[in-house]
Amino acid sequence: MNSKKKFAVVLAGSGVYDGSEIHEATLALYAISKNGGEYEIFAPNIDQYHVINHITGEEMAEKRNVLVEAARIARGNIKDLQEFDANNYDAILFPGGFGVAKNLCTFAFKGPDCDVNQDVETALKAMHEAGKPIGALCIAPALIAKILGKVEVTIGHDAGTAEAITSLGATHINTSHGEIVFDKENKIVTTPCYMLDATIAQIGEGAENVVKTIMAL
């Protein structure tokens, strides 16, 4: 195991309904640190698609910036994804949350026909072309499938989402709590997290299994 493995962690805001899922993001960072890795956090410097009241689930009449919101999770130590250089990292990891499907791409609204943020696509393709590992939690594997196409991923066992992923040319494999799908050829590791009705302990298990698999590559 390479104890110096450096992860780029890409966030999509702060909060499950309009940004990054905070448990998934935090427990992924914890797993990287616990297993001897290092990380830097990135987010695109763009407006969120919308802002959701996390108590009522209703849309709020305000604007927020993805990078500024993600900085809450990063404790201010975050970079604009535009600055990302694949040469400086051993792996890239995407926690889930609706922000991945609303801000990093538009999968929440357009499904397989979604658009992808250019900085996200550039970073992901650069890592893939360099043969470096990619991790994705929750709904984030849909983003990977949209960009890379013929890959093996999991979002758990939601039939509609799995069908959308399959229509992108990817292979979807059903999984349960904490389980991962490891696409060896493409070095992609995915786990369902809150795509299932999960506890925070199960989220931690899934995140750690993704990180440990990447660390061993």
Side-chain angles (χ1 to χ4, degrees), residues 43-63:
N45 185 10
I46 55 173
D47 283 341
Q48 284 185 193
Y49 175 78
H50 59 190
V51 180
I52 297 293
N53 180 320
H54 277 58
I55 297 174
T56 65
E58 291 172 4
E59 193 168 338
M60 299 174 74
E62 60 178 89
K63 284 195 182 298

Side-chain angles (χ1 to χ4, degrees), residues 74-143:
R75 296 169 58 85
N77 190 8
I78 193 167
K79 289 181 176 175
D80 185 336
L81 188 57
Q82 213 162 34
E83 299 174 28
F84 176 81
D85 182 347
N87 294 316
N88 298 333
Y89 301 91
D90 301 300
I92 193 166
L93 188 146
F94 292 81
F98 277 106
V100 173
K102 292 177 176 179
N103 303 328
L104 303 191
C105 69
T106 55
F107 186 83
F109 315 109
K110 297 183 180 178
D113 298 322
C114 64
D115 304 304
V116 179
N117 172 271
Q118 190 57 59
D119 294 333
V120 172
E121 184 165 351
T122 300
L124 196 54
K125 281 183 172 174
M127 291 298 277
H128 185 248
E129 284 162 13
K132 295 181 177 181
I134 296 162
L137 315 182
C138 192
I139 192 63
L143 173 71

